[in-house]
Amino acid sequence: MLIKTYELWPGRHDVTLTVFIHTSDHIFASKNKRPAIICCSGGGFIECSRDGDGGDHVAMSFASDGYNAFVLQYSSADRSKKEDVLFPSQMYDLGKAILMIRQHADEWKTDPDKITIVGFSAGACICALYATTYHQDHMLKKLNAAACDLEISAALLIYGIYDFKALLRYQNEHPAPEGINAGPDGIQCIFGQKNPSKEQLERYSPICQVSSMTPPLFLAAAIDDPAIPAVQTLDMAKKCHEEQIPYEVHVFQRGGHGFSLGRYLADEYRQDKALSCSAWVPMAKTFLTHLFAPESAEHEPDFEKLMKMLAEGNK
């Protein structure tokens, strides 16, 4: 496997794309190009680490199932200039990463028509906002690209922020526990002020940007999340339903905030420490399998007969 880190913007060391590319194997050689997945960690817009909740370990999980995986370190307060952290800089970073993958598709044996993004917490917000705005004029102009160059197959959104107005109301009523940095400091970093206008909040709330151009979404969260209420995930799913966007949603009883793969990362081998929310990983992979190989989701003939009988019986 090739593991290498690339800088995405000339003269900037803070925004990088680390690739986990399967190399040729003379025993298990395959002529097929692999699907790609780009991982975006959380960090409250303050930080974005490869060691974070959506970093290298998530990439390796998908790589073990045959994906070419990538980890994006997007613009964040701990690494970037203040002006580079303002929205929508992170969406430009993600778009730049997608363009790089398509540019190297032959070299990296990656299928340019099968690119998925996965984000966690703040990273999920960035992925959701990208998925709902990649086709907008400011994206096309900044990246000098067409919408078809920037489109993705799907987005996996794990305990993300989708409605900033609702989040700020919640945070005012329920101050975040110590150590959770998805609060006012992060808001100030991405909006440039602690009290953004209603127009700013709506412009950068993914729930307000869902349209017919939005790709299929997979959403997951935990009810006991102390930082971002699970209702954000449910509301985003409802919006997708209203706009007839394909989606799948899972809300787990336990997991808290930052559950990542659903286990304590310090003791990955301890199966007894795995939480029920770890089920999102195989569920998401099945979601993508059905998307990339539609025949895998076909109903059994008996199921079709049953549905026809029920329909006739209800007439």
Side-chain angles (χ1 to χ4, degrees):
M1 175 172 284
L2 169 68
I3 303 177
K4 188 175 181 179
T5 299
Y6 297 85
E7 293 180 0
L8 289 180
W9 301 103
R12 289 184 61 179
H13 307 299
D14 55 314
V15 179
T16 63
L17 185 69
T18 300
V19 305
F20 296 79
I21 302 297
H22 290 267
T23 52
S24 298
D25 189 310
H26 69 282
I27 297 177
F28 300 105
S30 174
K31 296 181 180 180
N32 297 327
K33 292 184 176 180
R34 299 176 183 270
I37 187 162
I38 305 174
C39 306
C40 298
S41 291
F45 309 106
I46 303 295
E47 59 185 42
C48 175
S49 170
R50 284 177 55 191
D51 298 324
D53 57 348
D56 288 11
H57 58 288
V58 174
M60 292 301 294
S61 173
F62 279 89
S64 68
D65 279 335
Y67 286 78
N68 279 337
F70 304 81
V71 176
L72 173 66
Q73 286 191 280
Y74 51 80
S75 301
S76 57
D78 66 330
R79 293 164 54 88
S80 309
K81 294 179 181 178
K82 186 179 296 185
E83 61 271 20
D84 290 330
V85 185
L86 296 174
F87 268 1
S89 294
Q90 297 83 356
M91 275 57 75
Y92 298 151
D93 297 339
L94 190 44
K96 190 75 169 176
I98 289 167
L99 290 175
M100 174 177 277
I101 292 171
R102 287 203 160 102
Q103 178 184 355
H104 292 274
D106 290 336
E107 175 189 350
W108 292 342
K109 293 182 172 56
T110 300
D111 191 333
D113 297 322
K114 296 178 181 177
I115 299 178
T116 299
I117 56 179
V118 57
F120 302 78
S121 191
C125 175
I126 290 166
C127 287
L129 195 52
Y130 182 88
T132 54
T133 64
Y134 70 89
H135 53 88
Q136 293 182 357
D137 287 343
H138 70 93
M139 292 289 294
L140 307 185
K141 290 178 181 178
K142 174 68 176 180
L143 296 167
N144 190 28
C148 60
D149 298 323
L150 300 175
E151 65 182 354
I152 54 175
S153 299
L156 314 180
L157 310 175
I158 317 301
Y159 47 84
I161 303 166
Y162 312 116
D163 185 339
F164 278 107
K165 289 193 298 182
L167 179 68
L168 290 179
R169 286 195 302 269
Y170 176 83
Q171 289 180 337
N172 287 334
E173 298 171 0
H174 307 83
E178 185 176 354
I180 300 292
N181 58 1
D185 290 340
I187 295 295
Q188 185 169 5
C189 288
I190 57 176
F191 287 103
Q193 55 183 308
K194 287 188 176 181
N195 298 298
S197 67
K198 175 184 176 183
E199 289 72 24
Q200 283 180 298
L201 294 174
E202 290 181 350
R203 180 182 179 188
Y204 294 118
S205 290
I207 200 168
C208 298
Q209 305 298 328
V210 176
S211 71
S212 60
M213 299 289 285
T214 302
L217 302 181
F218 178 98
L219 303 111
I223 293 175
D224 63 350
D225 190 327
I228 302 173
V231 72
Q232 287 257 335
T233 293
L234 294 174
D235 287 344
M236 188 65 174
K238 180 181 178 184
K239 183 66 174 180
C240 289
H241 190 79
E242 293 171 349
E243 298 294 329
Q244 299 184 334
I245 302 302
Y247 72 94
E248 185 169 323
V249 59
H250 300 278
V251 178
F252 299 96
Q253 189 73 26
R254 295 181 178 84
H257 189 75
F259 57 74
S260 188
L261 294 178
R263 63 185 68 244
Y264 295 96
L265 296 180
D267 296 321
E268 302 95 331
Y269 58 89
R270 290 286 298 275
Q271 294 299 319
D272 59 317
K273 285 192 173 184
L275 302 174
S276 63
C277 56
S278 64
W280 81 263
V281 182
M283 289 174 174
K285 292 175 179 178
T286 300
F287 175 81
L288 293 178
T289 297
H290 291 338
L291 183 65
F292 295 145
E295 68 278 7
S296 67
E298 292 179 356
H299 293 304
E300 295 294 330
D302 288 345
F303 178 86
E304 299 293 350
K305 292 179 181 178
L306 176 61
M307 291 298 101
K308 184 176 181 180
M309 289 172 57
L310 290 174
E312 293 175 350
N314 290 329
K315 289 182 180 179

Short mmCIF file of all heavy atoms in Angstrom, two decimals, residues 213-256:
data_model
loop_
_atom_site.label_atom_id
_atom_site.label_comp_id
_atom_site.label_asym_id
_atom_site.label_seq_id
_atom_site.Cartn_x
_atom_site.Cartn_y
_atom_site.Cartn_z
N MET A 213 -29.73 18.51 -6.46
CA MET A 213 -28.34 18.23 -6.80
C MET A 213 -27.61 17.48 -5.69
O MET A 213 -26.47 17.04 -5.87
CB MET A 213 -27.60 19.54 -7.10
CG MET A 213 -28.15 20.33 -8.27
SD MET A 213 -27.81 19.54 -9.85
CE MET A 213 -26.06 19.90 -10.03
N THR A 214 -28.25 17.32 -4.54
CA THR A 214 -27.62 16.67 -3.40
C THR A 214 -27.51 15.16 -3.64
O THR A 214 -28.50 14.53 -4.03
CB THR A 214 -28.42 16.94 -2.11
OG1 THR A 214 -28.51 18.35 -1.90
CG2 THR A 214 -27.76 16.29 -0.90
N PRO A 215 -26.35 14.56 -3.41
CA PRO A 215 -26.19 13.12 -3.61
C PRO A 215 -26.80 12.33 -2.46
O PRO A 215 -27.21 12.92 -1.44
CB PRO A 215 -24.67 12.95 -3.64
CG PRO A 215 -24.18 14.03 -2.72
CD PRO A 215 -25.10 15.20 -2.97
N PRO A 216 -26.89 11.01 -2.56
CA PRO A 216 -27.39 10.20 -1.45
C PRO A 216 -26.58 10.43 -0.17
O PRO A 216 -25.36 10.58 -0.22
CB PRO A 216 -27.22 8.76 -1.96
CG PRO A 216 -27.26 8.90 -3.45
CD PRO A 216 -26.60 10.20 -3.75
N LEU A 217 -27.29 10.45 0.97
CA LEU A 217 -26.65 10.71 2.25
C LEU A 217 -26.89 9.56 3.22
O LEU A 217 -27.99 9.01 3.29
CB LEU A 217 -27.20 12.00 2.88
CG LEU A 217 -27.07 13.30 2.08
CD1 LEU A 217 -27.63 14.47 2.87
CD2 LEU A 217 -25.62 13.57 1.69
N PHE A 218 -25.86 9.22 3.97
CA PHE A 218 -25.95 8.26 5.07
C PHE A 218 -25.68 9.05 6.34
O PHE A 218 -24.64 9.73 6.45
CB PHE A 218 -24.94 7.14 4.89
CG PHE A 218 -24.92 6.13 6.01
CD1 PHE A 218 -25.60 4.93 5.88
CD2 PHE A 218 -24.22 6.37 7.19
CE1 PHE A 218 -25.59 3.99 6.91
CE2 PHE A 218 -24.21 5.44 8.22
CZ PHE A 218 -24.90 4.25 8.08
N LEU A 219 -26.59 8.97 7.32
CA LEU A 219 -26.46 9.76 8.54
C LEU A 219 -26.49 8.87 9.77
O LEU A 219 -27.26 7.90 9.82
CB LEU A 219 -27.58 10.80 8.63
CG LEU A 219 -27.71 11.78 7.46
CD1 LEU A 219 -28.99 11.48 6.68
CD2 LEU A 219 -27.72 13.21 7.96
N ALA A 220 -25.66 9.22 10.76
CA ALA A 220 -25.66 8.47 12.02
C ALA A 220 -25.32 9.40 13.18
O ALA A 220 -24.57 10.37 13.01
CB ALA A 220 -24.65 7.32 11.96
N ALA A 221 -25.90 9.12 14.34
CA ALA A 221 -25.65 9.92 15.54
C ALA A 221 -26.06 9.10 16.75
O ALA A 221 -26.60 8.00 16.63
CB ALA A 221 -26.43 11.24 15.48
N ALA A 222 -25.78 9.64 17.95
CA ALA A 222 -26.15 8.97 19.20
C ALA A 222 -27.06 9.89 20.02
O ALA A 222 -26.84 11.10 20.08
CB ALA A 222 -24.91 8.61 20.01
N ILE A 223 -28.05 9.30 20.66
CA ILE A 223 -29.00 10.08 21.45
C ILE A 223 -28.32 10.76 22.63
O ILE A 223 -28.69 11.87 23.02
CB ILE A 223 -30.15 9.17 21.94
CG1 ILE A 223 -31.00 8.70 20.75
CG2 ILE A 223 -31.03 9.89 22.96
CD1 ILE A 223 -32.07 7.70 21.13
N ASP A 224 -27.28 10.12 23.19
CA ASP A 224 -26.64 10.69 24.37
C ASP A 224 -25.47 11.63 24.02
O ASP A 224 -24.62 11.90 24.86
CB ASP A 224 -26.16 9.57 25.31
CG ASP A 224 -25.09 8.67 24.66
OD1 ASP A 224 -24.87 8.79 23.44
OD2 ASP A 224 -24.50 7.86 25.40
N ASP A 225 -25.44 12.13 22.80
CA ASP A 225 -24.41 13.10 22.39
C ASP A 225 -24.58 14.39 23.19
O ASP A 225 -25.61 15.05 23.08
CB ASP A 225 -24.55 13.39 20.89
CG ASP A 225 -23.38 14.20 20.34
OD1 ASP A 225 -22.83 15.04 21.07
OD2 ASP A 225 -23.05 14.01 19.16
N PRO A 226 -23.59 14.80 24.00
CA PRO A 226 -23.73 15.99 24.82
C PRO A 226 -23.40 17.30 24.10
O PRO A 226 -23.66 18.38 24.63
CB PRO A 226 -22.71 15.75 25.94
CG PRO A 226 -21.61 14.99 25.25
CD PRO A 226 -22.31 14.10 24.24
N ALA A 227 -22.84 17.20 22.89
CA ALA A 227 -22.39 18.39 22.18
C ALA A 227 -23.32 18.79 21.04
O ALA A 227 -23.67 19.96 20.87
CB ALA A 227 -20.98 18.18 21.65
N ILE A 228 -23.71 17.81 20.22
CA ILE A 228 -24.58 18.07 19.07
C ILE A 228 -25.79 17.15 19.18
O ILE A 228 -25.64 15.93 19.07
CB ILE A 228 -23.84 17.81 17.74
CG1 ILE A 228 -22.59 18.68 17.64
CG2 ILE A 228 -24.76 18.09 16.55
CD1 ILE A 228 -21.72 18.37 16.44
N PRO A 229 -26.96 17.69 19.41
CA PRO A 229 -28.14 16.84 19.62
C PRO A 229 -28.46 16.00 18.40
O PRO A 229 -28.32 16.45 17.26
CB PRO A 229 -29.25 17.84 19.92
CG PRO A 229 -28.79 19.13 19.34
CD PRO A 229 -27.30 19.13 19.47
N ALA A 230 -28.88 14.77 18.64
CA ALA A 230 -29.19 13.84 17.56
C ALA A 230 -30.33 14.35 16.68
O ALA A 230 -30.46 13.91 15.53
CB ALA A 230 -29.54 12.47 18.13
N VAL A 231 -31.13 15.26 17.20
CA VAL A 231 -32.23 15.79 16.39
C VAL A 231 -31.71 16.52 15.16
O VAL A 231 -32.41 16.64 14.15
CB VAL A 231 -33.14 16.71 17.25
CG1 VAL A 231 -32.43 18.03 17.57
CG2 VAL A 231 -34.47 16.98 16.55
N GLN A 232 -30.46 17.00 15.21
CA GLN A 232 -29.86 17.61 14.01
C GLN A 232 -29.82 16.58 12.88
O GLN A 232 -30.13 16.89 11.73
CB GLN A 232 -28.44 18.08 14.33
CG GLN A 232 -28.35 19.32 15.21
CD GLN A 232 -28.03 20.57 14.41
OE1 GLN A 232 -27.44 20.52 13.34
NE2 GLN A 232 -28.43 21.71 14.95
N THR A 233 -29.44 15.36 13.22
CA THR A 233 -29.39 14.29 12.23
C THR A 233 -30.78 13.92 11.73
O THR A 233 -31.00 13.73 10.53
CB THR A 233 -28.69 13.06 12.84
OG1 THR A 233 -27.31 13.38 13.07
CG2 THR A 233 -28.79 11.84 11.93
N LEU A 234 -31.74 13.85 12.65
CA LEU A 234 -33.11 13.51 12.26
C LEU A 234 -33.71 14.60 11.38
O LEU A 234 -34.42 14.30 10.41
CB LEU A 234 -33.96 13.31 13.51
CG LEU A 234 -33.58 12.10 14.38
CD1 LEU A 234 -34.39 12.09 15.67
CD2 LEU A 234 -33.78 10.80 13.61
N ASP A 235 -33.44 15.85 11.70
CA ASP A 235 -33.96 16.96 10.89
C ASP A 235 -33.35 16.95 9.49
O ASP A 235 -34.03 17.25 8.50
CB ASP A 235 -33.68 18.30 11.57
CG ASP A 235 -34.57 18.54 12.78
OD1 ASP A 235 -35.59 17.83 12.92
OD2 ASP A 235 -34.25 19.44 13.59
N MET A 236 -32.06 16.60 9.41
CA MET A 236 -31.42 16.53 8.09
C MET A 236 -32.03 15.40 7.27
O MET A 236 -32.26 15.55 6.06
CB MET A 236 -29.92 16.32 8.26
CG MET A 236 -29.11 16.43 6.97
SD MET A 236 -29.16 18.08 6.25
CE MET A 236 -27.99 17.88 4.89
N ALA A 237 -32.31 14.27 7.92
CA ALA A 237 -32.95 13.16 7.22
C ALA A 237 -34.34 13.56 6.74
O ALA A 237 -34.74 13.21 5.62
CB ALA A 237 -33.03 11.94 8.15
N LYS A 238 -35.07 14.28 7.59
CA LYS A 238 -36.42 14.74 7.20
C LYS A 238 -36.35 15.65 5.98
O LYS A 238 -37.18 15.56 5.07
CB LYS A 238 -37.07 15.47 8.37
CG LYS A 238 -38.46 15.98 8.08
CD LYS A 238 -39.05 16.73 9.26
CE LYS A 238 -40.44 17.28 8.93
NZ LYS A 238 -40.98 18.09 10.06
N LYS A 239 -35.35 16.53 5.96
CA LYS A 239 -35.19 17.44 4.82
C LYS A 239 -34.90 16.64 3.54
O LYS A 239 -35.45 16.95 2.48
CB LYS A 239 -34.05 18.42 5.10
CG LYS A 239 -33.85 19.46 4.02
CD LYS A 239 -35.04 20.40 3.92
CE LYS A 239 -34.76 21.53 2.94
NZ LYS A 239 -35.92 22.47 2.83
N CYS A 240 -34.06 15.63 3.65
CA CYS A 240 -33.77 14.78 2.49
C CYS A 240 -35.04 14.09 2.01
O CYS A 240 -35.29 13.97 0.80
CB CYS A 240 -32.72 13.73 2.84
SG CYS A 240 -31.06 14.39 3.06
N HIS A 241 -35.85 13.63 2.96
CA HIS A 241 -37.11 12.97 2.62
C HIS A 241 -38.03 13.93 1.87
O HIS A 241 -38.64 13.55 0.86
CB HIS A 241 -37.78 12.47 3.89
CG HIS A 241 -38.95 11.57 3.65
ND1 HIS A 241 -38.81 10.24 3.32
CD2 HIS A 241 -40.29 11.81 3.66
CE1 HIS A 241 -40.01 9.70 3.15
NE2 HIS A 241 -40.91 10.62 3.34
N GLU A 242 -38.10 15.16 2.34
CA GLU A 242 -38.97 16.16 1.70
C GLU A 242 -38.49 16.49 0.29
O GLU A 242 -39.31 16.73 -0.60
CB GLU A 242 -39.01 17.43 2.55
CG GLU A 242 -39.71 17.25 3.89
CD GLU A 242 -39.55 18.45 4.81
OE1 GLU A 242 -38.74 19.35 4.50
OE2 GLU A 242 -40.23 18.49 5.85
N GLU A 243 -37.17 16.49 0.10
CA GLU A 243 -36.61 16.83 -1.21
C GLU A 243 -36.39 15.61 -2.09
O GLU A 243 -35.83 15.71 -3.17
CB GLU A 243 -35.27 17.57 -1.02
CG GLU A 243 -35.40 18.90 -0.28
CD GLU A 243 -36.19 19.93 -1.06
OE1 GLU A 243 -36.15 19.89 -2.33
OE2 GLU A 243 -36.85 20.78 -0.43
N GLN A 244 -36.82 14.43 -1.60
CA GLN A 244 -36.71 13.17 -2.34
C GLN A 244 -35.26 12.82 -2.67
O GLN A 244 -34.95 12.31 -3.75
CB GLN A 244 -37.56 13.21 -3.61
CG GLN A 244 -39.05 13.41 -3.32
CD GLN A 244 -39.92 13.37 -4.57
OE1 GLN A 244 -39.46 13.67 -5.66
NE2 GLN A 244 -41.16 12.97 -4.39
N ILE A 245 -34.38 13.09 -1.70
CA ILE A 245 -32.97 12.70 -1.83
C ILE A 245 -32.79 11.33 -1.16
O ILE A 245 -33.22 11.14 -0.03
CB ILE A 245 -32.05 13.73 -1.14
CG1 ILE A 245 -32.26 15.14 -1.74
CG2 ILE A 245 -30.59 13.31 -1.24
CD1 ILE A 245 -32.01 15.22 -3.21
N PRO A 246 -32.18 10.36 -1.83
CA PRO A 246 -31.96 9.06 -1.19
C PRO A 246 -31.15 9.23 0.09
O PRO A 246 -30.14 9.94 0.11
CB PRO A 246 -31.17 8.28 -2.25
CG PRO A 246 -31.52 8.94 -3.54
CD PRO A 246 -31.70 10.39 -3.22
N TYR A 247 -31.58 8.57 1.16
CA TYR A 247 -30.86 8.70 2.43
C TYR A 247 -31.09 7.46 3.27
O TYR A 247 -32.00 6.67 3.04
CB TYR A 247 -31.34 9.93 3.20
CG TYR A 247 -32.73 9.80 3.78
CD1 TYR A 247 -32.93 9.36 5.10
CD2 TYR A 247 -33.86 10.07 3.00
CE1 TYR A 247 -34.21 9.22 5.62
CE2 TYR A 247 -35.14 9.93 3.51
CZ TYR A 247 -35.31 9.50 4.83
OH TYR A 247 -36.58 9.34 5.34
N GLU A 248 -30.22 7.31 4.27
CA GLU A 248 -30.37 6.28 5.29
C GLU A 248 -29.94 6.92 6.60
O GLU A 248 -28.94 7.66 6.65
CB GLU A 248 -29.50 5.07 4.96
CG GLU A 248 -29.68 3.89 5.92
CD GLU A 248 -29.01 2.62 5.41
OE1 GLU A 248 -29.04 2.40 4.19
OE2 GLU A 248 -28.44 1.88 6.23
N VAL A 249 -30.69 6.66 7.68
CA VAL A 249 -30.38 7.32 8.95
C VAL A 249 -30.42 6.30 10.08
O VAL A 249 -31.30 5.43 10.12
CB VAL A 249 -31.35 8.50 9.22
CG1 VAL A 249 -32.80 8.02 9.25
CG2 VAL A 249 -30.99 9.22 10.51
N HIS A 250 -29.46 6.42 11.00
CA HIS A 250 -29.39 5.55 12.17
C HIS A 250 -29.07 6.40 13.40
O HIS A 250 -28.07 7.13 13.41
CB HIS A 250 -28.31 4.48 11.99
CG HIS A 250 -28.53 3.59 10.80
ND1 HIS A 250 -29.39 2.51 10.83
CD2 HIS A 250 -28.04 3.67 9.54
CE1 HIS A 250 -29.40 1.94 9.64
NE2 HIS A 250 -28.59 2.62 8.83
N VAL A 251 -29.91 6.30 14.41
CA VAL A 251 -29.68 7.01 15.67
C VAL A 251 -29.55 5.96 16.77
O VAL A 251 -30.50 5.22 17.04
CB VAL A 251 -30.81 8.01 15.97
CG1 VAL A 251 -30.56 8.70 17.31
CG2 VAL A 251 -30.90 9.04 14.86
N PHE A 252 -28.39 5.91 17.40
CA PHE A 252 -28.09 4.89 18.40
C PHE A 252 -28.37 5.40 19.81
O PHE A 252 -28.28 6.60 20.08
CB PHE A 252 -26.63 4.45 18.26
CG PHE A 252 -26.31 3.86 16.91
CD1 PHE A 252 -25.75 4.64 15.91
CD2 PHE A 252 -26.57 2.53 16.64
CE1 PHE A 252 -25.46 4.12 14.66
CE2 PHE A 252 -26.29 1.98 15.39
CZ PHE A 252 -25.73 2.78 14.40
N GLN A 253 -28.68 4.47 20.68
CA GLN A 253 -28.99 4.83 22.07
C GLN A 253 -27.77 5.41 22.77
O GLN A 253 -27.88 6.39 23.51
CB GLN A 253 -29.47 3.59 22.84
CG GLN A 253 -30.03 3.89 24.22
CD GLN A 253 -31.39 4.56 24.18
OE1 GLN A 253 -32.12 4.39 23.23
NE2 GLN A 253 -31.71 5.33 25.21
N ARG A 254 -26.61 4.82 22.54
CA ARG A 254 -25.39 5.25 23.22
C ARG A 254 -24.25 5.44 22.22
O ARG A 254 -24.21 4.80 21.18
CB ARG A 254 -24.97 4.23 24.29
CG ARG A 254 -25.97 4.11 25.43
CD ARG A 254 -25.49 3.10 26.47
NE ARG A 254 -26.43 3.01 27.58
CZ ARG A 254 -27.52 2.25 27.59
NH1 ARG A 254 -27.80 1.51 26.53
NH2 ARG A 254 -28.31 2.22 28.64
N GLY A 255 -23.33 6.28 22.60
CA GLY A 255 -22.17 6.56 21.75
C GLY A 255 -21.52 7.88 22.10
O GLY A 255 -20.34 8.11 21.85
N GLY A 256 -22.35 8.81 22.67
CA GLY A 256 -21.81 10.11 23.03
C GLY A 256 -21.39 10.89 21.80
O GLY A 256 -21.93 10.72 20.71
#
